[in-house]
Amino acid sequence: MKLYQYGDNVDTDVIIPARYLNAPDEKSLASHCMEDIDDKFASTVEPGDIIVAGSNFGCGSSREHAPISIKACGVKCVIAKSFARIFYRNAINIGFPIMECPEAVDGISAGDKVSVDFATGVIVNKTTGARFQAAPFPAFVNGIIEHGGLLNSLKARGVAK
Amino acid sequence: MGMTMTQKILARCAGLDEVKAGQLIEGRLSLVLGNDITTPVAITEFDKAGLTSVFDRDKIAIVLDHYTPCKDIKAAQLCAAARKFAKRFSITHFYDVGQVGVEHALIPEKGLAAPGEVIIGADSHTCTYGALGAFSTGVGSTDMAAGMATGLAWFKVPSAIKVTLTGSFRPNVSGKDVILHLIGLIGVDGALYRSLEFSGDGVAALDMDDRFTICNMAIEAGAKNGIFPVDEKTLAYLDGRVSRPFQAFEPDPDAVYEREVVIDLNTLEPTVSLPHLPSNTKTVSEVAGMPIQQVVIGSCTNGRIKDLREAAAILKGRKVADGVRCIVIPATQEIMLQAVAEGLVQTFIEAGAAVSTPTCGPCLGGHMGVLADDEVAVATTNRNFVGRMGPVSSKIILSNPAVAAASAVAGCVADPNKL
């Protein structure tokens, strides 16, 4: 796994620029992911890689294309100090794991090996041995993730037909 | 414990007597909104989940405003998909080219938002309708799909920041300066997950168009929503637009706020946000003289009639400077007609500006005014992120309409009070 590290306020316009929103299929979105902040990201990212970022990750537009593009690249999860609220919702709703943990962001350096456990919220920096605890999701949100996203969970409850 | 305006509205939509900050609720929706970028993704999810019905065809609005009139084949395919879906479910409030306006100007104008209502939209600037005392917030396409199918959405009840406004504006200062100043004070995540609740005697001095502008950019402070109390100006705006019953909410006297920010409107100067964050604010006098190549006056933030009047007052009898393209985009057809009737469109064209049919176009770098390398635009839009209106080397300076018009005339960032 590789780490991709970014600072604060990574906005949805740099995650997936609006000029590519006219082709919302996953492959196309993935091929332009992070293009305006890191033009090497899409060509080097591999399944299992992790993005580590500062505060307010995913701010700006409501475009679900942003978490879709990151997920479609095979990124395992995003660990950030905080997430913009629409990105946070969108990630949960499409079943893409995100972890809010400022201490982990500060305790991970370039090249470190990192493991994550979504069930417990535990993040381990295997290079330094440091352990971090991300804020756990409420049960309601875990229900959405367990069903593989919002629509499936609503169908399982019988409220969406 | 007392509740904020937002908490009272959320309690009612969830069928609860009381809610607390941090509580997760499921609420009934008054309206579910999407545009030509987000609706097709929602339709894909809707179909993928095997859904076959919508909860209420009268409570869904689909507004084809971003890439329209369609900029290319791919955009046309997206609109075609949205059109087909709207027809399949006989969606009442479907707006296509000819009727369409920029969604957050159009929805209030058509009477689709009212006090106390709960509105989600797959567009981040859905928070605009807080100007009418509604709870409205931006969501993604999956939320839109779920909302269309069930009429429900999950919310975490937000805590709130109270923004107390006092006094009244000086010349060429407007709602945009209030919100840019506020974002400059608290930062682009200063209201993250929270409500911005506006209050104070300064509210009465704000026209509805100022309030729409202020709530529109609540998201740029990270807020879940922005909301104003309902007063005589609100009711006058709703008169003739909304005939269904609605309920206005006031905060409890003991409502809990995380903090209070006081803004004296008398002290505000025309304010701009320099690249590349809305929080990077300066007064226009601090940065006057910076050369520019383009001016955009329009968008869901500042494409309403008051905005156009303010821009026209500056451009009347003047000319757009050589080397500057000035693009004016009235946000809806109604606003366009009014601008024509008042002679504003003639003023713009005589000044050398281009006037466009309603579209979000340049605000998101879609079309109708995309920048080239290293170009700088003054825009009345809402975001100045890297690459928002063109290549990563292009730059956007956010301003109110009077500053934008003055800058178009001067060929550089200019103070409308010193033209």
Side-chain angles (χ1 to χ4, degrees), chain A residues 47 77 82 104 134:
Chain A
C77 74
S82 65

PDB file of all heavy atoms in Angstrom, chain A residues 47 77 82 104 134:
ATOM      1  N   PRO A  47      -4.997  -0.329  -5.979  1.00  0.00           N
ATOM      2  CA  PRO A  47      -5.962  -0.782  -4.976  1.00  0.00           C
ATOM      3  C   PRO A  47      -5.282  -0.997  -3.628  1.00  0.00           C
ATOM      4  O   PRO A  47      -4.184  -1.547  -3.562  1.00  0.00           O
ATOM      5  CB  PRO A  47      -6.472  -2.111  -5.556  1.00  0.00           C
ATOM      6  CG  PRO A  47      -6.318  -1.938  -7.034  1.00  0.00           C
ATOM      7  CD  PRO A  47      -5.059  -1.132  -7.209  1.00  0.00           C
ATOM      8  N   CYS A  77      -9.305   3.741   1.894  1.00  0.00           N
ATOM      9  CA  CYS A  77     -10.065   4.689   2.713  1.00  0.00           C
ATOM     10  C   CYS A  77      -9.366   6.035   2.709  1.00  0.00           C
ATOM     11  O   CYS A  77      -8.214   6.147   2.286  1.00  0.00           O
ATOM     12  CB  CYS A  77     -10.230   4.191   4.148  1.00  0.00           C
ATOM     13  SG  CYS A  77      -8.750   4.300   5.144  1.00  0.00           S
ATOM     14  N   SER A  82     -10.768  16.188   9.442  1.00  0.00           N
ATOM     15  CA  SER A  82     -12.229  16.333   9.403  1.00  0.00           C
ATOM     16  C   SER A  82     -12.667  16.292   7.946  1.00  0.00           C
ATOM     17  O   SER A  82     -11.851  16.472   7.042  1.00  0.00           O
ATOM     18  CB  SER A  82     -12.689  17.639  10.065  1.00  0.00           C
ATOM     19  OG  SER A  82     -12.208  18.747   9.334  1.00  0.00           O
ATOM     20  N   ALA A 104      -4.129  10.568  14.038  1.00  0.00           N
ATOM     21  CA  ALA A 104      -3.533   9.678  13.044  1.00  0.00           C
ATOM     22  C   ALA A 104      -2.900  10.475  11.911  1.00  0.00           C
ATOM     23  O   ALA A 104      -1.801  10.156  11.437  1.00  0.00           O
ATOM     24  CB  ALA A 104      -4.587   8.717  12.500  1.00  0.00           C
ATOM     25  N   ALA A 134     -10.024   6.200  15.651  1.00  0.00           N
ATOM     26  CA  ALA A 134     -10.916   7.124  14.948  1.00  0.00           C
ATOM     27  C   ALA A 134     -12.280   7.111  15.620  1.00  0.00           C
ATOM     28  O   ALA A 134     -12.656   6.123  16.260  1.00  0.00           O
ATOM     29  CB  ALA A 134     -11.064   6.706  13.486  1.00  0.00           C
TER      30      ALA A 134
END
